[in-house]
Short mmCIF file of all heavy atoms in Angstrom, two decimals:
data_model
loop_
_atom_site.label_atom_id
_atom_site.label_comp_id
_atom_site.label_asym_id
_atom_site.label_seq_id
_atom_site.Cartn_x
_atom_site.Cartn_y
_atom_site.Cartn_z
N MET A 1 24.19 -81.23 -29.09
CA MET A 1 24.67 -82.20 -30.06
C MET A 1 26.16 -82.56 -29.85
O MET A 1 26.88 -81.71 -29.50
CB MET A 1 24.56 -81.56 -31.52
CG MET A 1 25.15 -82.45 -32.54
SD MET A 1 24.31 -82.43 -34.13
CE MET A 1 23.18 -81.06 -33.97
N SER A 2 26.48 -83.79 -29.93
CA SER A 2 27.85 -84.18 -29.47
C SER A 2 28.65 -84.42 -30.82
O SER A 2 28.21 -84.61 -31.87
CB SER A 2 27.86 -85.48 -28.72
OG SER A 2 28.31 -86.55 -29.40
N ALA A 3 30.05 -84.30 -30.64
CA ALA A 3 30.92 -84.40 -31.66
C ALA A 3 31.00 -85.92 -32.22
O ALA A 3 31.68 -86.22 -33.17
CB ALA A 3 32.15 -83.90 -31.30
N LYS A 4 30.30 -86.78 -31.40
CA LYS A 4 30.42 -88.28 -31.78
C LYS A 4 29.88 -88.56 -33.20
O LYS A 4 30.33 -89.44 -33.77
CB LYS A 4 29.61 -89.02 -30.78
CG LYS A 4 30.42 -89.80 -29.78
CD LYS A 4 29.61 -90.69 -28.90
CE LYS A 4 28.62 -89.85 -28.10
NZ LYS A 4 27.97 -90.67 -27.10
N HIS A 5 28.99 -87.76 -33.59
CA HIS A 5 28.30 -88.06 -34.95
C HIS A 5 29.20 -87.56 -36.13
O HIS A 5 28.82 -87.66 -37.24
CB HIS A 5 26.91 -87.42 -35.04
CG HIS A 5 25.94 -87.96 -33.92
ND1 HIS A 5 25.70 -87.24 -32.80
CD2 HIS A 5 25.34 -89.19 -33.82
CE1 HIS A 5 24.91 -88.02 -32.11
NE2 HIS A 5 24.65 -89.21 -32.63
N ILE A 6 30.17 -86.86 -35.82
CA ILE A 6 31.06 -86.17 -36.85
C ILE A 6 32.18 -87.12 -37.18
O ILE A 6 33.04 -87.40 -36.34
CB ILE A 6 31.56 -84.85 -36.35
CG1 ILE A 6 30.30 -84.03 -36.04
CG2 ILE A 6 32.40 -84.15 -37.34
CD1 ILE A 6 30.72 -82.66 -35.37
N ARG A 7 32.04 -87.77 -38.30
CA ARG A 7 33.01 -88.84 -38.69
C ARG A 7 33.95 -88.46 -39.85
O ARG A 7 34.85 -89.16 -40.14
CB ARG A 7 32.24 -90.14 -38.96
CG ARG A 7 31.42 -90.70 -37.88
CD ARG A 7 31.36 -92.12 -37.90
NE ARG A 7 30.66 -92.66 -36.85
CZ ARG A 7 29.44 -92.62 -36.57
NH1 ARG A 7 28.58 -92.16 -37.43
NH2 ARG A 7 28.90 -93.10 -35.37
N ASN A 8 33.54 -87.45 -40.61
CA ASN A 8 34.34 -87.07 -41.67
C ASN A 8 34.31 -85.53 -41.91
O ASN A 8 33.49 -84.88 -41.22
CB ASN A 8 34.11 -87.81 -42.98
CG ASN A 8 32.69 -87.59 -43.48
OD1 ASN A 8 32.24 -86.43 -43.48
ND2 ASN A 8 32.02 -88.62 -43.98
N THR A 9 35.01 -84.99 -42.84
CA THR A 9 35.14 -83.57 -42.94
C THR A 9 33.73 -83.02 -43.46
O THR A 9 33.46 -81.87 -43.09
CB THR A 9 36.26 -83.15 -43.82
OG1 THR A 9 36.01 -83.80 -45.15
CG2 THR A 9 37.63 -83.49 -43.31
N GLY A 10 33.01 -83.85 -44.20
CA GLY A 10 31.71 -83.37 -44.65
C GLY A 10 30.75 -83.11 -43.45
O GLY A 10 29.88 -82.27 -43.52
N ASP A 11 30.85 -83.97 -42.37
CA ASP A 11 29.98 -83.82 -41.32
C ASP A 11 30.27 -82.52 -40.55
O ASP A 11 29.41 -82.00 -39.91
CB ASP A 11 30.20 -84.98 -40.37
CG ASP A 11 29.60 -86.25 -40.87
OD1 ASP A 11 28.75 -86.31 -41.77
OD2 ASP A 11 30.04 -87.39 -40.36
N LEU A 12 31.46 -82.04 -40.69
CA LEU A 12 31.79 -80.70 -40.08
C LEU A 12 30.80 -79.62 -40.51
O LEU A 12 30.31 -78.82 -39.84
CB LEU A 12 33.16 -80.34 -40.29
CG LEU A 12 34.34 -81.24 -39.68
CD1 LEU A 12 35.63 -80.76 -40.31
CD2 LEU A 12 34.28 -81.08 -38.21
N MET A 13 30.66 -79.60 -41.86
CA MET A 13 29.87 -78.67 -42.44
C MET A 13 28.37 -78.89 -42.10
O MET A 13 27.59 -77.92 -41.74
CB MET A 13 29.85 -78.71 -43.97
CG MET A 13 31.26 -78.37 -44.54
SD MET A 13 31.15 -77.14 -45.79
CE MET A 13 30.38 -78.06 -47.11
N ARG A 14 27.90 -80.18 -42.06
CA ARG A 14 26.64 -80.51 -41.68
C ARG A 14 26.21 -80.05 -40.31
O ARG A 14 25.19 -79.49 -40.00
CB ARG A 14 26.47 -82.02 -41.83
CG ARG A 14 25.25 -82.43 -42.61
CD ARG A 14 25.33 -84.03 -42.81
NE ARG A 14 24.26 -84.63 -42.02
CZ ARG A 14 24.36 -85.77 -41.45
NH1 ARG A 14 25.49 -86.55 -41.61
NH2 ARG A 14 23.37 -86.33 -40.83
N PHE A 15 27.19 -80.25 -39.34
CA PHE A 15 26.87 -79.94 -37.99
C PHE A 15 27.49 -78.50 -37.56
O PHE A 15 27.48 -78.20 -36.45
CB PHE A 15 27.39 -81.00 -37.15
CG PHE A 15 26.69 -82.30 -37.28
CD1 PHE A 15 27.39 -83.34 -37.86
CD2 PHE A 15 25.44 -82.51 -36.87
CE1 PHE A 15 26.79 -84.61 -37.99
CE2 PHE A 15 24.75 -83.71 -37.00
CZ PHE A 15 25.40 -84.77 -37.66
N ARG A 16 27.99 -77.76 -38.49
CA ARG A 16 28.64 -76.56 -38.23
C ARG A 16 29.69 -76.67 -37.21
O ARG A 16 29.73 -75.74 -36.28
CB ARG A 16 27.55 -75.51 -37.85
CG ARG A 16 26.56 -75.24 -38.86
CD ARG A 16 25.49 -74.35 -38.28
NE ARG A 16 24.38 -74.14 -39.33
CZ ARG A 16 24.52 -73.25 -40.29
NH1 ARG A 16 25.54 -72.45 -40.41
NH2 ARG A 16 23.55 -73.15 -41.18
N ALA A 17 30.57 -77.64 -37.23
CA ALA A 17 31.52 -77.87 -36.33
C ALA A 17 32.92 -77.40 -36.97
O ALA A 17 32.88 -77.08 -38.16
CB ALA A 17 31.68 -79.23 -35.86
N SER A 18 33.95 -77.38 -36.21
CA SER A 18 35.30 -77.02 -36.73
C SER A 18 36.29 -78.04 -36.26
O SER A 18 35.99 -78.88 -35.43
CB SER A 18 35.65 -75.63 -36.56
OG SER A 18 35.35 -75.35 -35.17
N ILE A 19 37.45 -77.88 -36.69
CA ILE A 19 38.42 -78.86 -36.25
C ILE A 19 39.72 -78.04 -35.77
O ILE A 19 39.93 -76.87 -36.17
CB ILE A 19 38.96 -79.79 -37.24
CG1 ILE A 19 39.57 -79.23 -38.53
CG2 ILE A 19 37.97 -80.92 -37.54
CD1 ILE A 19 40.31 -80.13 -39.49
N ARG A 20 40.49 -78.62 -34.92
CA ARG A 20 41.71 -77.99 -34.42
C ARG A 20 42.82 -78.94 -34.90
O ARG A 20 42.76 -80.18 -34.76
CB ARG A 20 41.73 -77.95 -32.95
CG ARG A 20 42.86 -77.22 -32.31
CD ARG A 20 42.72 -77.31 -30.78
NE ARG A 20 44.03 -77.62 -30.22
CZ ARG A 20 44.82 -76.65 -29.55
NH1 ARG A 20 44.14 -75.50 -29.25
NH2 ARG A 20 46.01 -76.96 -29.13
N ILE A 21 43.84 -78.39 -35.43
CA ILE A 21 45.02 -79.24 -35.87
C ILE A 21 46.12 -78.82 -35.10
O ILE A 21 46.58 -77.64 -35.03
CB ILE A 21 45.26 -78.84 -37.40
CG1 ILE A 21 43.95 -79.12 -38.24
CG2 ILE A 21 46.36 -79.70 -37.95
CD1 ILE A 21 43.96 -78.41 -39.60
N ASP A 22 46.75 -79.79 -34.50
CA ASP A 22 47.90 -79.59 -33.68
C ASP A 22 49.12 -80.25 -34.36
O ASP A 22 49.10 -81.44 -34.75
CB ASP A 22 47.78 -80.18 -32.30
CG ASP A 22 46.78 -79.39 -31.43
OD1 ASP A 22 47.13 -78.25 -31.10
OD2 ASP A 22 45.67 -79.82 -31.24
N CYS A 23 50.22 -79.52 -34.45
CA CYS A 23 51.51 -80.16 -34.98
C CYS A 23 52.26 -80.71 -33.82
O CYS A 23 52.64 -79.99 -32.88
CB CYS A 23 52.35 -79.03 -35.69
SG CYS A 23 53.88 -79.73 -36.21
N PRO A 24 52.67 -82.06 -33.82
CA PRO A 24 53.35 -82.57 -32.72
C PRO A 24 54.88 -82.19 -32.79
O PRO A 24 55.53 -82.46 -31.91
CB PRO A 24 53.21 -84.07 -33.07
CG PRO A 24 53.04 -84.24 -34.43
CD PRO A 24 52.30 -82.96 -34.90
N HIS A 25 55.30 -81.62 -33.93
CA HIS A 25 56.72 -81.19 -33.98
C HIS A 25 57.02 -79.89 -33.43
O HIS A 25 57.99 -79.68 -32.67
CB HIS A 25 57.18 -81.29 -35.52
CG HIS A 25 56.76 -82.63 -36.12
ND1 HIS A 25 57.40 -83.79 -35.81
CD2 HIS A 25 55.89 -82.94 -36.98
CE1 HIS A 25 56.84 -84.73 -36.42
NE2 HIS A 25 55.91 -84.25 -37.30
N CYS A 26 56.20 -78.87 -33.83
CA CYS A 26 56.56 -77.49 -33.36
C CYS A 26 55.35 -76.86 -32.53
O CYS A 26 55.52 -75.78 -32.21
CB CYS A 26 56.85 -76.60 -34.59
SG CYS A 26 55.34 -76.19 -35.55
N ALA A 27 54.41 -77.65 -32.19
CA ALA A 27 53.28 -77.25 -31.24
C ALA A 27 52.48 -76.12 -31.83
O ALA A 27 51.81 -75.44 -31.24
CB ALA A 27 53.90 -76.77 -29.91
N ALA A 28 52.55 -75.96 -33.23
CA ALA A 28 51.69 -74.96 -33.92
C ALA A 28 50.20 -75.51 -33.77
O ALA A 28 50.15 -76.77 -33.90
CB ALA A 28 52.03 -74.79 -35.28
N ALA A 29 49.26 -74.74 -33.64
CA ALA A 29 47.88 -75.12 -33.62
C ALA A 29 47.11 -74.21 -34.48
O ALA A 29 47.32 -72.98 -34.40
CB ALA A 29 47.36 -75.24 -32.14
N ARG A 30 46.20 -74.68 -35.26
CA ARG A 30 45.22 -73.82 -35.93
C ARG A 30 43.85 -74.47 -35.99
O ARG A 30 43.70 -75.68 -35.81
CB ARG A 30 45.80 -73.46 -37.26
CG ARG A 30 45.90 -74.62 -38.23
CD ARG A 30 46.53 -74.15 -39.48
NE ARG A 30 46.77 -75.27 -40.40
CZ ARG A 30 46.53 -75.44 -41.68
NH1 ARG A 30 45.89 -74.30 -42.26
NH2 ARG A 30 46.74 -76.46 -42.33
N THR A 31 42.91 -73.66 -36.11
CA THR A 31 41.55 -74.06 -36.20
C THR A 31 41.01 -73.76 -37.52
O THR A 31 41.11 -72.72 -38.08
CB THR A 31 40.66 -73.22 -35.05
OG1 THR A 31 41.30 -73.46 -33.87
CG2 THR A 31 39.28 -73.80 -35.07
N LEU A 32 40.24 -74.76 -38.10
CA LEU A 32 39.66 -74.60 -39.45
C LEU A 32 38.16 -74.80 -39.32
O LEU A 32 37.71 -75.72 -38.57
CB LEU A 32 40.10 -75.61 -40.38
CG LEU A 32 41.57 -75.52 -41.02
CD1 LEU A 32 41.86 -76.55 -42.02
CD2 LEU A 32 41.91 -74.21 -41.56
N SER A 33 37.33 -73.96 -39.90
CA SER A 33 35.95 -74.22 -39.93
C SER A 33 35.63 -75.39 -40.85
O SER A 33 36.55 -75.88 -41.61
CB SER A 33 35.17 -72.98 -40.45
OG SER A 33 35.51 -72.83 -41.85
N GLY A 34 34.46 -75.95 -40.86
CA GLY A 34 34.05 -76.98 -41.79
C GLY A 34 34.30 -76.64 -43.18
O GLY A 34 34.85 -77.49 -43.90
N LEU A 35 33.83 -75.51 -43.54
CA LEU A 35 34.05 -75.11 -44.95
C LEU A 35 35.45 -74.97 -45.37
O LEU A 35 35.88 -75.47 -46.41
CB LEU A 35 33.38 -73.69 -45.17
CG LEU A 35 33.43 -73.09 -46.51
CD1 LEU A 35 32.70 -73.95 -47.50
CD2 LEU A 35 32.78 -71.69 -46.57
N GLU A 36 36.29 -74.34 -44.45
CA GLU A 36 37.71 -74.34 -44.79
C GLU A 36 38.24 -75.75 -44.91
O GLU A 36 39.26 -75.95 -45.73
CB GLU A 36 38.46 -73.48 -43.67
CG GLU A 36 38.11 -72.12 -43.71
CD GLU A 36 38.55 -71.34 -42.42
OE1 GLU A 36 38.61 -71.87 -41.34
OE2 GLU A 36 38.90 -70.15 -42.47
N THR A 37 37.84 -76.58 -44.05
CA THR A 37 38.47 -77.94 -44.08
C THR A 37 38.16 -78.67 -45.35
O THR A 37 38.98 -79.17 -46.08
CB THR A 37 37.95 -78.80 -42.97
OG1 THR A 37 38.14 -78.06 -41.73
CG2 THR A 37 38.62 -80.20 -42.74
N VAL A 38 36.86 -78.54 -45.73
CA VAL A 38 36.44 -79.18 -47.05
C VAL A 38 37.14 -78.56 -48.21
O VAL A 38 37.52 -79.29 -49.17
CB VAL A 38 34.87 -79.17 -47.06
CG1 VAL A 38 34.36 -79.71 -48.53
CG2 VAL A 38 34.27 -80.08 -46.02
N THR A 39 37.26 -77.26 -48.20
CA THR A 39 37.88 -76.52 -49.23
C THR A 39 39.31 -77.03 -49.40
O THR A 39 39.78 -77.25 -50.51
CB THR A 39 37.87 -74.99 -49.00
OG1 THR A 39 36.55 -74.65 -48.84
CG2 THR A 39 38.51 -74.28 -50.17
N ALA A 40 40.02 -77.25 -48.32
CA ALA A 40 41.46 -77.60 -48.30
C ALA A 40 41.61 -79.13 -48.60
O ALA A 40 42.48 -79.44 -49.29
CB ALA A 40 42.09 -77.31 -46.96
N LEU A 41 40.76 -79.98 -48.13
CA LEU A 41 40.98 -81.49 -48.14
C LEU A 41 39.82 -82.19 -48.82
O LEU A 41 40.08 -83.42 -49.16
CB LEU A 41 41.06 -81.96 -46.77
CG LEU A 41 42.26 -81.45 -45.88
CD1 LEU A 41 42.00 -81.73 -44.42
CD2 LEU A 41 43.56 -81.88 -46.33
N GLY A 42 38.75 -81.58 -49.17
CA GLY A 42 37.59 -82.24 -49.72
C GLY A 42 37.06 -83.11 -48.63
O GLY A 42 37.30 -83.02 -47.43
N VAL A 43 35.96 -83.93 -48.99
CA VAL A 43 35.41 -84.78 -47.94
C VAL A 43 36.15 -86.09 -47.70
O VAL A 43 36.42 -86.73 -48.65
CB VAL A 43 33.94 -85.15 -48.41
CG1 VAL A 43 33.31 -86.09 -47.39
CG2 VAL A 43 33.01 -83.88 -48.47
N CYS A 44 36.72 -86.27 -46.52
CA CYS A 44 37.50 -87.37 -46.28
C CYS A 44 37.48 -87.73 -44.80
O CYS A 44 36.85 -86.85 -43.98
CB CYS A 44 38.99 -87.17 -46.68
SG CYS A 44 39.80 -85.88 -45.87
N SER A 45 37.92 -88.84 -44.33
CA SER A 45 37.93 -89.18 -42.96
C SER A 45 38.96 -88.38 -42.23
O SER A 45 39.93 -87.75 -42.89
CB SER A 45 38.22 -90.69 -42.77
OG SER A 45 39.56 -90.91 -43.14
N PHE A 46 38.83 -88.27 -40.91
CA PHE A 46 39.83 -87.50 -40.19
C PHE A 46 41.18 -88.17 -40.26
O PHE A 46 42.24 -87.58 -40.20
CB PHE A 46 39.44 -87.32 -38.76
CG PHE A 46 38.15 -86.43 -38.74
CD1 PHE A 46 37.00 -86.90 -38.23
CD2 PHE A 46 38.27 -85.09 -39.24
CE1 PHE A 46 35.86 -86.17 -38.16
CE2 PHE A 46 37.13 -84.31 -39.16
CZ PHE A 46 35.94 -84.82 -38.64
N GLU A 47 41.28 -89.57 -40.39
CA GLU A 47 42.55 -90.29 -40.50
C GLU A 47 43.26 -89.80 -41.76
O GLU A 47 44.40 -89.58 -41.81
CB GLU A 47 42.29 -91.77 -40.56
CG GLU A 47 41.89 -92.42 -39.22
CD GLU A 47 40.44 -92.23 -38.91
OE1 GLU A 47 39.61 -91.76 -39.80
OE2 GLU A 47 40.06 -92.53 -37.64
N GLU A 48 42.43 -89.80 -42.90
CA GLU A 48 42.98 -89.31 -44.18
C GLU A 48 43.52 -87.88 -43.99
O GLU A 48 44.56 -87.42 -44.54
CB GLU A 48 41.97 -89.32 -45.26
CG GLU A 48 41.87 -90.68 -46.00
CD GLU A 48 40.72 -90.47 -46.96
OE1 GLU A 48 41.06 -89.94 -48.14
OE2 GLU A 48 39.55 -90.96 -46.71
N ALA A 49 42.74 -87.01 -43.40
CA ALA A 49 43.04 -85.63 -43.26
C ALA A 49 44.34 -85.53 -42.41
O ALA A 49 45.26 -84.73 -42.78
CB ALA A 49 41.87 -84.91 -42.48
N GLU A 50 44.47 -86.30 -41.38
CA GLU A 50 45.77 -86.30 -40.56
C GLU A 50 46.93 -86.76 -41.41
O GLU A 50 48.02 -86.13 -41.34
CB GLU A 50 45.75 -87.29 -39.34
CG GLU A 50 44.80 -86.66 -38.31
CD GLU A 50 44.66 -87.57 -37.09
OE1 GLU A 50 44.93 -88.84 -37.29
OE2 GLU A 50 44.36 -87.07 -36.04
N ALA A 51 46.81 -87.69 -42.29
CA ALA A 51 47.78 -88.26 -43.16
C ALA A 51 48.18 -87.15 -44.18
O ALA A 51 49.42 -87.08 -44.63
CB ALA A 51 47.46 -89.48 -43.84
N ARG A 52 47.28 -86.37 -44.65
CA ARG A 52 47.59 -85.42 -45.71
C ARG A 52 48.02 -84.02 -45.26
O ARG A 52 48.55 -83.22 -46.11
CB ARG A 52 46.19 -85.18 -46.60
CG ARG A 52 46.12 -86.52 -47.50
CD ARG A 52 44.64 -86.60 -48.05
NE ARG A 52 44.34 -85.51 -48.82
CZ ARG A 52 43.08 -85.29 -49.31
NH1 ARG A 52 42.11 -86.13 -48.95
NH2 ARG A 52 42.80 -84.26 -49.96
N LEU A 53 47.54 -83.62 -44.01
CA LEU A 53 47.87 -82.26 -43.50
C LEU A 53 49.39 -82.04 -43.31
O LEU A 53 50.10 -83.00 -42.93
CB LEU A 53 47.28 -81.97 -42.24
CG LEU A 53 45.65 -81.72 -42.39
CD1 LEU A 53 45.03 -81.78 -40.97
CD2 LEU A 53 45.49 -80.35 -42.95
N LYS A 54 49.93 -80.88 -43.65
CA LYS A 54 51.30 -80.59 -43.43
C LYS A 54 51.31 -79.36 -42.71
O LYS A 54 50.59 -78.38 -42.91
CB LYS A 54 51.99 -80.47 -44.83
CG LYS A 54 53.39 -80.99 -44.83
CD LYS A 54 53.91 -81.09 -46.16
CE LYS A 54 54.62 -79.79 -46.67
NZ LYS A 54 55.25 -79.88 -47.91
N CYS A 55 52.13 -79.18 -41.75
CA CYS A 55 52.23 -78.01 -40.87
C CYS A 55 52.72 -76.87 -41.63
O CYS A 55 53.72 -76.91 -42.42
CB CYS A 55 53.16 -78.26 -39.71
SG CYS A 55 53.52 -76.86 -38.72
N GLY A 56 51.98 -75.66 -41.48
CA GLY A 56 52.31 -74.49 -42.22
C GLY A 56 53.53 -73.85 -41.63
O GLY A 56 54.32 -73.05 -42.31
N ARG A 57 53.93 -74.13 -40.43
CA ARG A 57 55.09 -73.57 -39.72
C ARG A 57 56.33 -74.40 -40.00
O ARG A 57 57.34 -73.81 -40.49
CB ARG A 57 54.84 -73.44 -38.25
CG ARG A 57 55.80 -72.38 -37.63
CD ARG A 57 55.97 -72.53 -36.20
NE ARG A 57 54.80 -71.88 -35.57
CZ ARG A 57 54.54 -71.87 -34.27
NH1 ARG A 57 55.26 -72.62 -33.42
NH2 ARG A 57 53.42 -71.27 -33.75
N CYS A 58 56.42 -75.62 -39.75
CA CYS A 58 57.59 -76.45 -39.81
C CYS A 58 57.57 -77.38 -41.03
O CYS A 58 58.60 -78.04 -41.21
CB CYS A 58 57.89 -77.11 -38.50
SG CYS A 58 56.80 -78.57 -38.15
N GLY A 59 56.41 -77.55 -41.70
CA GLY A 59 56.36 -78.47 -42.82
C GLY A 59 56.30 -79.93 -42.31
O GLY A 59 56.26 -80.88 -43.12
N GLY A 60 56.11 -80.13 -41.06
CA GLY A 60 56.08 -81.56 -40.42
C GLY A 60 54.79 -82.27 -40.83
O GLY A 60 53.68 -81.57 -40.94
N LYS A 61 54.83 -83.51 -40.83
CA LYS A 61 53.57 -84.28 -41.01
C LYS A 61 53.18 -84.97 -39.66
O LYS A 61 53.94 -84.85 -38.67
CB LYS A 61 53.79 -85.28 -42.07
CG LYS A 61 53.97 -84.67 -43.43
CD LYS A 61 53.57 -85.71 -44.49
CE LYS A 61 52.70 -85.04 -45.58
NZ LYS A 61 51.87 -85.93 -46.40
N GLY A 62 52.14 -85.71 -39.70
CA GLY A 62 51.63 -86.30 -38.40
C GLY A 62 50.82 -85.42 -37.53
O GLY A 62 50.77 -85.64 -36.41
N ALA A 63 50.12 -84.51 -38.14
CA ALA A 63 49.20 -83.56 -37.43
C ALA A 63 48.13 -84.37 -36.65
O ALA A 63 47.67 -85.42 -37.13
CB ALA A 63 48.62 -82.60 -38.24
N ARG A 64 47.72 -83.76 -35.57
CA ARG A 64 46.65 -84.39 -34.80
C ARG A 64 45.38 -83.50 -35.05
O ARG A 64 45.39 -82.30 -34.86
CB ARG A 64 46.97 -84.32 -33.27
CG ARG A 64 47.97 -85.18 -32.87
CD ARG A 64 47.42 -86.57 -32.58
NE ARG A 64 48.64 -87.51 -32.27
CZ ARG A 64 49.43 -87.50 -31.29
NH1 ARG A 64 49.14 -86.60 -30.25
NH2 ARG A 64 50.41 -88.33 -31.09
N VAL A 65 44.24 -84.19 -35.48
CA VAL A 65 43.07 -83.47 -35.71
C VAL A 65 42.15 -83.73 -34.59
O VAL A 65 41.90 -84.89 -34.27
CB VAL A 65 42.42 -83.88 -37.09
CG1 VAL A 65 41.01 -83.36 -37.16
CG2 VAL A 65 43.26 -83.45 -38.30
N SER A 66 41.67 -82.69 -33.96
CA SER A 66 40.50 -82.94 -32.95
C SER A 66 39.30 -82.13 -33.44
O SER A 66 39.36 -81.06 -33.86
CB SER A 66 40.85 -82.55 -31.56
OG SER A 66 42.11 -81.72 -31.59
N VAL A 67 38.12 -82.80 -33.22
CA VAL A 67 36.91 -82.12 -33.68
C VAL A 67 36.45 -81.23 -32.46
O VAL A 67 36.42 -81.64 -31.28
CB VAL A 67 35.82 -83.22 -33.91
CG1 VAL A 67 34.40 -82.53 -34.26
CG2 VAL A 67 36.21 -84.01 -35.10
N LEU A 68 36.21 -79.97 -32.80
CA LEU A 68 35.54 -79.06 -31.89
C LEU A 68 34.05 -79.11 -31.99
O LEU A 68 33.52 -78.86 -33.08
CB LEU A 68 36.13 -77.65 -32.17
CG LEU A 68 37.57 -77.47 -32.15
CD1 LEU A 68 37.95 -76.05 -32.53
CD2 LEU A 68 38.15 -77.80 -30.85
N PRO A 69 33.34 -79.48 -31.00
CA PRO A 69 31.87 -79.58 -30.99
C PRO A 69 31.21 -78.31 -31.57
O PRO A 69 31.81 -77.21 -31.23
CB PRO A 69 31.47 -79.98 -29.64
CG PRO A 69 32.69 -80.01 -28.83
CD PRO A 69 33.89 -79.63 -29.62
N PRO A 70 30.06 -78.32 -32.08
CA PRO A 70 29.34 -77.17 -32.46
C PRO A 70 29.05 -76.32 -31.36
O PRO A 70 28.85 -76.82 -30.37
CB PRO A 70 28.10 -77.71 -33.23
CG PRO A 70 28.29 -79.11 -33.28
CD PRO A 70 29.40 -79.58 -32.43
N VAL A 71 29.02 -74.97 -31.57
CA VAL A 71 28.63 -74.08 -30.47
C VAL A 71 27.18 -73.76 -30.40
O VAL A 71 26.55 -73.82 -31.40
CB VAL A 71 29.59 -72.76 -30.54
CG1 VAL A 71 30.89 -73.10 -29.98
CG2 VAL A 71 29.58 -72.24 -31.88
ZN1 ZN B 101 54.92 -77.75 -37.13
#
């Protein structure tokens, strides 16, 4: 199964995928499971998620979200 079908945070849960969040300011990276993502942000597009996420380390915005394909 490819990550192409995963278009929003709800799909992460459906496909048991997770996301990686990279902060462009301090290079912090973290991985969230689909459940953790939906718990934190609700069901939304990845564009919305990027706009809403704030870095836990430096507080910077503009995080990059990449979908990690299901294992
Ligand atoms: Zn940061």
Side-chain angles (χ1 to χ4, degrees):
M1 176 142 16
S2 107
K4 252 189 296 190
H5 300 103
I6 301 175
R7 296 210 174 79
N8 63 41
T9 57
D11 288 340
L12 294 172
M13 296 229 294
R14 230 173 109 210
F15 295 111
R16 298 173 185 277
S18 47
I19 57 169
R20 186 185 139 111
I21 304 162
D22 287 291
C23 173
H25 308 289
C26 71
R30 64 189 171 127
T31 305
L32 290 183
S33 71
L35 179 61
E36 287 168 331
T37 307
V38 171
T39 303
L41 299 165
V43 174
C44 64
S45 69
F46 294 118
E47 287 79 10
E48 269 179 83
E50 287 181 337
R52 284 161 61 188
L53 285 165
K54 219 166 88 173
C55 175
R57 194 197 282 175
C58 73
K61 291 204 136 200
R64 294 272 171 74
V65 170
S66 14
V67 175
L68 304 174
V71 279

